Amino acid sequence: MVILLENTKKISLVVPCHNEQENISLFYEECKKTFINMDVLVEIVFVDDGSRDNTIDELRKLEAEKNFEIKIINFSRNFGKEAAMYAGLKRTTGDYVVIIDADLQQRPELILKMLEIVENNDHYDCVCYYQEKRKESNIISFFKKKFYKIISKMSDVEFVNGASDFRLFRRYVVDAILNLEEKNRFSKGIFSWVGFKTCYIPYIPDDRIHGKSNFNFKSLFKYAISGILSFSIAPLRIATYSGLLFSLVAFIYMIIIIIQKLLFTIDVPGYATLLSCVLLIGGLILFCLGIMGDYIARIYIETKNRPIFIEKEYIQKGHLNNKED
Ligand code: UDP
Ligand code: MG
C-alpha cells in the first residue's frame, strides 16, 4: 500500500522494549519495509526498560543504520511499560506519533492504515487498534471484558473493550498527554481522559515468536485495580452507601426489638446471629479502610514527586532519509 501524505510529514514511533533482544532487528527490518517507499521522515524512539538480556546491545547496533532517525533511551532499571511510553513520547518530535510494541505482535505495516485514516479525515485526532476477538485464554479474556465494563461504569471516561496501546496521535494530542504528569500512570485512561476524536479499528495481534509476554494474570489484575483507582472515586463511596444501608437495617431492627420488648416477651437473639453480624460489619469496615488506604497510598506516592523514570543514557542518531542508500 502506498499512501501519499500531504507535504513531507514526520512520523515518530515509540517502542517500549523489555527483554526483546531477538525482536529488535526483526522489528527494524519490518519498519524499513513499511516506510521504504514513502515520502516521510521517520524517527524511532526505542526505550530499553531495564532489560536483563542484550536488548541494549541490539539497539546500539541500529546506531549505524541510516534509514531512520534513531533515538535510544536506556532506563536505569525496569520502570514498566507505562513509564517507557511516557519517556518515549517525551522524546518524539513528529507530526504523527505511534506507540507500538517491539515484539511484532503489532505489525508495523498496520501503521499505514492509521496514517491513511488521519490523512483523509481531518476530524480524527487519534487512531486506536482494538482486538475484536481476543486470543488469550478464555479466563483472561472474560476478566478483561468485565474490567472494561466495570471501569467504564465507574469513571467518567470511555474505555473501549479490547483497545490496545497501539495508537497514532496527532502532535497536539501527545502534548496534551505529556501535560498530565501523574506518577501512577494508567495510559489507557489518560488517552481517553484527554479527549479528542479517536477512530477505533479492529486488528488481530500476531503470536509472539520470540521472548515471552511480560504480563501474567497477577500483573494484569494489579493493572486493572490501578486503572480503577486512577480513574474513579466510586470505590470510596462503598463505605458511605454500605454504612447508610447498615444504619437503616439497624434502625428497623431496633424498632422491632422495642415493639417486642413492650408488647411481647423478649426474644433474645442467638449467639450465631450476633457473631455473624459482628464479623460481617467488621469485615466491611476493614474492606472500606483498605480501599481508603489504597487511595492514600496513591496520594503519598504522588506527593513524593519522584520522577516517572530515570534515564541512564540517551542516544540520538541523526536523520538521513528512509530510502535505501
Ligand atoms: N514492556 C516494557 N516494560 C515492561 C513490560 C513490557 O517496555 O515492564 C514492553 C514489551 O517489551 C513490549 C510491550 O511492552 O514491547 C508489550 O509487552 P508484552 O508483549 O509483554 O505484553 P502483551 O503483548 O503480552 O500484552
Ligand atoms: Mg506482546
Side-chain angles (χ1 to χ4, degrees):
M1 188 187 337
V2 176
I3 302 166
L4 292 173
L5 302 191
E6 261 180 56
N7 309 319
T8 303
K9 294 246 168 65
K10 185 167 180 179
I11 300 165
S12 307
L13 309 191
V14 172
V15 194
C17 315
H18 180 66
N19 299 339
E20 303 283 5
Q21 60 181 11
E22 296 98 343
N23 291 320
I24 301 296
S25 59
L26 296 173
F27 175 84
Y28 187 78
E29 286 307 314
E30 286 298 317
C31 289
K32 254 171 45 183
K33 272 192 228 154
T34 302
F35 294 109
I36 208 76
N37 290 320
M38 284 179 69
D39 181 26
V40 285
L41 299 175
V42 178
E43 78 175 356
I44 310 187
V45 185
F46 289 100
V47 185
D48 181 14
D49 182 14
S51 299
R52 273 165 283 119
D53 63 2
N54 296 323
T55 299
I56 192 67
D57 302 323
E58 289 297 316
L59 290 174
R60 276 184 212 285
K61 283 186 198 159
L62 300 181
E63 276 186 81
E65 294 282 340
K66 297 193 181 78
N67 300 280
F68 307 126
E69 186 179 343
I70 301 288
K71 295 177 173 175
I72 303 168
I73 302 169
N74 188 5
F75 276 2
S76 62
R77 65 167 170 87
N78 178 240
F79 283 89
K81 187 185 174 189
E82 299 287 327
M85 288 194 286
Y86 178 74
L89 288 176
K90 270 195 128 167
R91 292 287 187 183
T92 59
T93 52
D95 304 295
Y96 297 133
V97 177
V98 176
I99 301 178
I100 180 167
D101 289 353
D103 57 8
L104 290 169
Q105 287 194 272
Q106 303 169 341
R107 284 193 312 283
E109 66 180 61
L110 295 179
I111 295 171
L112 298 182
K113 173 98 182 133
M114 300 205 266
L115 284 173
E116 195 188 80
I117 291 173
V118 279
E119 276 291 299
N120 296 319
N121 300 281
D122 284 345
H123 61 286
Y124 280 129
D125 305 302
C126 322
V127 184
C128 169
Y129 273 112
Y130 72 94
Q131 286 187 53
E132 216 169 13
K133 268 198 191 138
R134 291 190 180 276
K135 277 181 150 186
E136 301 113 332
S137 69
N138 286 346
I139 181 137
I140 290 201
S141 87
F142 170 82
F143 277 112
K144 280 192 175 175
K145 257 192 208 151
K146 281 271 166 284
F147 164 71
Y148 281 105
K149 263 206 180 130
I150 292 172
I151 196 166
S152 294
K153 275 212 177 114
M154 279 182 159
S155 70
D156 301 330
V157 292
E158 180 203 19
F159 288 87
V160 173
N161 180 19
S164 67
D165 292 330
F166 189 15
R167 291 171 191 242
L168 177 146
F169 306 104
R170 290 185 195 271
R171 182 76 239 161
Y172 49 81
V173 182
V174 174
D175 295 337
I177 291 167
L178 291 174
N179 253 330
L180 300 181
E181 290 178 336
E182 57 204 72
K183 315 292 169 202
N184 280 297
R185 296 187 78 76
F186 183 70
S187 294
K188 285 196 176 76
I190 291 176
F191 299 154
S192 295
W193 189 90
V194 293
F196 300 103
K197 192 114 189 68
T198 304
C199 174
Y200 290 93
I201 45 176
Y203 87 119
I204 299 170
D206 286 6
D207 289 331
R208 213 184 220 280
I209 300 170
H210 299 289
K212 60 177 181 16
S213 171
N214 291 281
F215 298 96
N216 54 26
F217 188 78
K218 194 175 150 205
S219 58
L220 285 174
F221 185 74
K222 265 172 82 180
Y223 178 71
I225 297 288
S226 139
I228 292 175
L229 296 183
S230 296
F231 279 87
S232 170
I233 52 162
L236 284 174
R237 302 214 176 95
I238 292 175
T240 319
Y241 293 134
S242 53
L244 270 174
L245 183 76
F246 272 85
S247 308
L248 187 73
V249 172
F251 182 72
I252 295 169
Y253 192 53
M254 190 179 78
I255 293 186
I256 294 171
I257 298 248
I258 292 172
I259 293 172
Q260 277 181 337
K261 188 176 164 65
L262 292 178
L263 300 183
F264 315 104
T265 48
I266 309 161
D267 179 22
V268 182
Y271 171 76
T273 326
L274 263 176
L275 191 67
S276 39
C277 280
V278 169
L279 289 180
L280 176 73
I281 295 172
L284 195 74
I285 292 172
L286 285 179
F287 177 62
C288 293
L289 269 179
I291 292 175
M292 277 180 217
D294 267 336
Y295 281 95
I296 293 170
R298 285 166 170 265
I299 301 170
Y300 169 68
I301 289 168
E302 292 294 330
T303 51
K304 278 204 279 193
N305 210 17
R306 287 184 182 159
I308 295 168
F309 60 90
I310 295 174
E311 273 178 18
K312 183 170 151 195
E313 65 183 324
Y314 173 62
I315 304 160
Q316 184 168 350
K317 181 80 175 46
H319 184 272
L320 295 158
N321 61 54
N322 62 317
K323 306 263 162 26
E324 206 92 65
D325 287 330

